[in-house]
Amino acid sequence: MDTVTFGIVPGYGEKLHDALGYSSAVRVGDRVEISGQAGVDDDLNIPDSLEEEIVQAFENVERALATVGATWHDVIHINSYHKVAPGEKVISEDVNRIMAQQFRLRLNGRAPIWTETGVTVLGLAAMRVEIRVTAIAGSGN
Protein backbone atom coordinates (compact mmCIF):
# COMPACT_ATOMS: atom_id res chain seq x y z
CA MET A 1 0.00 0.00 0.00
CA ASP A 2 1.29 3.46 -0.91
CA THR A 3 2.10 5.93 1.83
CA VAL A 4 -0.09 9.04 1.97
CA THR A 5 1.63 12.29 2.94
CA PHE A 6 -0.11 15.63 3.33
CA GLY A 7 1.71 18.94 3.03
CA ILE A 8 0.83 22.38 4.32
CA VAL A 9 2.58 25.47 2.95
CA PRO A 10 4.07 27.59 5.76
CA GLY A 11 2.35 30.98 6.05
CA TYR A 12 -0.83 31.25 3.98
CA GLY A 13 -1.26 27.45 3.83
CA GLU A 14 -1.16 27.18 7.62
CA LYS A 15 -3.73 29.97 7.91
CA LEU A 16 -6.08 28.24 5.46
CA HIS A 17 -5.53 24.85 7.11
CA ASP A 18 -6.41 26.31 10.51
CA ALA A 19 -9.44 28.23 9.22
CA LEU A 20 -10.88 25.73 6.75
CA GLY A 21 -9.29 22.37 7.59
CA TYR A 22 -7.61 21.40 4.33
CA SER A 23 -4.04 20.68 3.23
CA SER A 24 -2.06 22.33 0.45
CA ALA A 25 -0.88 19.06 -1.13
CA VAL A 26 -1.09 15.29 -0.92
CA ARG A 27 1.35 12.67 -2.14
CA VAL A 28 0.33 9.05 -2.66
CA GLY A 29 3.39 7.07 -3.74
CA ASP A 30 4.89 9.29 -6.45
CA ARG A 31 1.59 10.93 -7.45
CA VAL A 32 1.08 14.47 -6.15
CA GLU A 33 -2.11 16.52 -6.14
CA ILE A 34 -2.29 20.06 -4.81
CA SER A 35 -5.25 22.19 -3.81
CA GLY A 36 -5.92 25.27 -5.91
CA GLN A 37 -3.30 27.92 -5.25
CA ALA A 38 -4.20 31.58 -5.27
CA GLY A 39 -1.88 34.48 -5.93
CA VAL A 40 -1.75 35.50 -2.28
CA ASP A 41 1.08 36.36 0.06
CA ASP A 42 1.45 34.78 3.50
CA ASP A 43 -1.10 37.22 4.94
CA LEU A 44 -3.63 36.35 2.18
CA ASN A 45 -3.16 39.71 0.43
CA ILE A 46 -3.70 39.76 -3.35
CA PRO A 47 -1.59 42.04 -5.58
CA ASP A 48 -3.34 44.81 -7.50
CA SER A 49 -1.65 43.75 -10.74
CA LEU A 50 -3.12 40.74 -12.57
CA GLU A 51 0.36 39.74 -13.74
CA GLU A 52 1.76 39.85 -10.19
CA GLU A 53 -1.19 37.78 -8.97
CA ILE A 54 -0.65 35.10 -11.61
CA VAL A 55 3.11 35.00 -10.94
CA GLN A 56 2.42 34.68 -7.20
CA ALA A 57 -0.02 31.82 -7.86
CA PHE A 58 2.74 30.03 -9.80
CA GLU A 59 5.13 30.64 -6.88
CA ASN A 60 2.53 29.21 -4.50
CA VAL A 61 2.12 26.10 -6.68
CA GLU A 62 5.87 25.63 -6.37
CA ARG A 63 5.68 26.02 -2.60
CA ALA A 64 2.80 23.52 -2.34
CA LEU A 65 4.63 20.97 -4.51
CA ALA A 66 7.76 21.33 -2.37
CA THR A 67 5.85 20.35 0.79
CA VAL A 68 5.61 16.80 -0.58
CA GLY A 69 8.88 16.58 -2.51
CA ALA A 70 7.88 17.64 -6.03
CA THR A 71 8.68 20.53 -8.38
CA TRP A 72 7.22 22.23 -11.45
CA HIS A 73 9.41 19.90 -13.56
CA ASP A 74 7.28 16.98 -12.27
CA VAL A 75 3.92 18.52 -13.30
CA ILE A 76 1.82 16.54 -15.78
CA HIS A 77 -1.56 18.34 -15.59
CA ILE A 78 -2.60 21.92 -14.88
CA ASN A 79 -6.08 23.27 -14.16
CA SER A 80 -6.37 27.05 -14.02
CA TYR A 81 -9.46 28.99 -13.03
CA HIS A 82 -9.81 32.61 -14.11
CA LYS A 83 -12.40 35.10 -12.94
CA VAL A 84 -14.37 36.52 -15.86
CA ALA A 85 -17.29 38.91 -15.90
CA PRO A 86 -20.72 37.29 -16.24
CA GLY A 87 -21.42 36.86 -19.93
CA GLU A 88 -17.74 37.08 -20.90
CA LYS A 89 -17.08 34.72 -23.80
CA VAL A 90 -13.30 34.19 -23.53
CA ILE A 91 -10.42 34.41 -21.09
CA SER A 92 -8.32 37.44 -21.96
CA GLU A 93 -5.26 37.38 -24.18
CA ASP A 94 -3.32 39.01 -21.30
CA VAL A 95 -4.09 36.05 -19.04
CA ASN A 96 -3.05 33.57 -21.71
CA ARG A 97 0.17 35.50 -22.41
CA ILE A 98 1.14 35.58 -18.72
CA MET A 99 0.23 31.92 -18.20
CA ALA A 100 2.30 30.87 -21.25
CA GLN A 101 5.27 32.95 -20.04
CA GLN A 102 5.15 31.23 -16.66
CA PHE A 103 4.87 27.77 -18.27
CA ARG A 104 7.99 28.47 -20.34
CA LEU A 105 9.85 29.87 -17.35
CA ARG A 106 9.04 27.05 -14.92
CA LEU A 107 8.50 23.85 -16.92
CA ASN A 108 11.90 23.55 -18.61
CA GLY A 109 10.40 22.49 -21.94
CA ARG A 110 7.86 20.08 -20.47
CA ALA A 111 4.35 20.60 -21.86
CA PRO A 112 1.78 19.16 -19.45
CA ILE A 113 -1.89 19.04 -20.33
CA TRP A 114 -3.80 22.18 -19.35
CA THR A 115 -7.45 22.91 -18.75
CA GLU A 116 -8.30 26.60 -18.48
CA THR A 117 -11.72 27.50 -17.08
CA GLY A 118 -13.47 30.85 -16.73
CA VAL A 119 -15.47 31.29 -13.52
CA THR A 120 -17.43 34.14 -11.97
CA VAL A 121 -16.27 33.62 -8.36
CA LEU A 122 -13.25 32.20 -6.55
CA GLY A 123 -12.45 31.60 -2.86
CA LEU A 124 -11.65 35.22 -1.98
CA ALA A 125 -13.56 38.16 -3.44
CA ALA A 126 -10.48 39.84 -4.93
CA MET A 127 -9.02 36.66 -6.45
CA ARG A 128 -8.73 36.52 -10.23
CA VAL A 129 -6.82 33.25 -10.62
CA GLU A 130 -6.39 29.85 -8.98
CA ILE A 131 -4.05 27.11 -10.19
CA ARG A 132 -4.18 23.40 -9.36
CA VAL A 133 -1.75 20.77 -10.62
CA THR A 134 -1.03 17.05 -10.65
CA ALA A 135 2.57 15.84 -10.64
CA ILE A 136 4.57 12.64 -10.59
CA ALA A 137 7.41 13.27 -8.13
CA GLY A 138 10.81 12.60 -9.66
CA SER A 139 9.54 12.36 -13.25
CA GLY A 140 11.02 15.68 -14.33
CA ASN A 141 14.64 14.92 -13.52
Side-chain angles (χ1 to χ4, degrees):
M1 178 179 236
D2 287 326
T3 301
V4 176
T5 305
F6 291 96
I8 300 170
V9 174
Y12 73 88
E14 293 168 324
K15 286 181 173 72
L16 294 170
H17 177 267
D18 292 346
L20 301 172
Y22 71 91
S23 296
S24 306
V26 63
R27 179 173 174 163
V28 181
D30 290 337
R31 185 179 180 90
V32 173
E33 303 281 347
I34 69 164
S35 61
Q37 300 297 301
V40 297
D41 66 15
D42 284 339
D43 293 317
L44 301 176
N45 297 310
I46 298 167
D48 291 332
S49 156
L50 174 63
E51 183 164 1
E52 289 176 18
E53 182 180 352
I54 292 172
V55 169
Q56 185 64 56
F58 272 80
E59 291 288 327
N60 291 343
V61 166
E62 187 169 312
R63 292 173 69 189
L65 288 166
T67 67
V68 292
T71 72
W72 267 107
H73 295 170
D74 299 319
V75 170
I76 62 168
H77 182 193
I78 300 164
N79 285 347
S80 63
Y81 305 91
H82 306 273
K83 188 182 278 186
V84 297
E88 190 82 20
K89 295 189 189 304
V90 297
I91 294 169
S92 79
E93 288 182 25
D94 284 340
V95 166
N96 287 326
R97 176 186 52 78
I98 298 163
M99 293 292 292
Q101 286 173 342
Q102 290 301 305
F103 290 160
R104 289 183 185 104
L105 177 68
R106 296 169 190 276
L107 290 164
N108 197 33
R110 189 170 212 165
I113 60 174
W114 175 30
T115 301
E116 182 182 40
T117 305
V119 298
T120 56
V121 296
L122 290 164
L124 299 172
M127 283 173 60
R128 293 164 287 190
V129 64
E130 188 168 354
I131 302 171
R132 187 205 165 290
V133 306
T134 301
I136 305 299
S139 68
N141 294 335

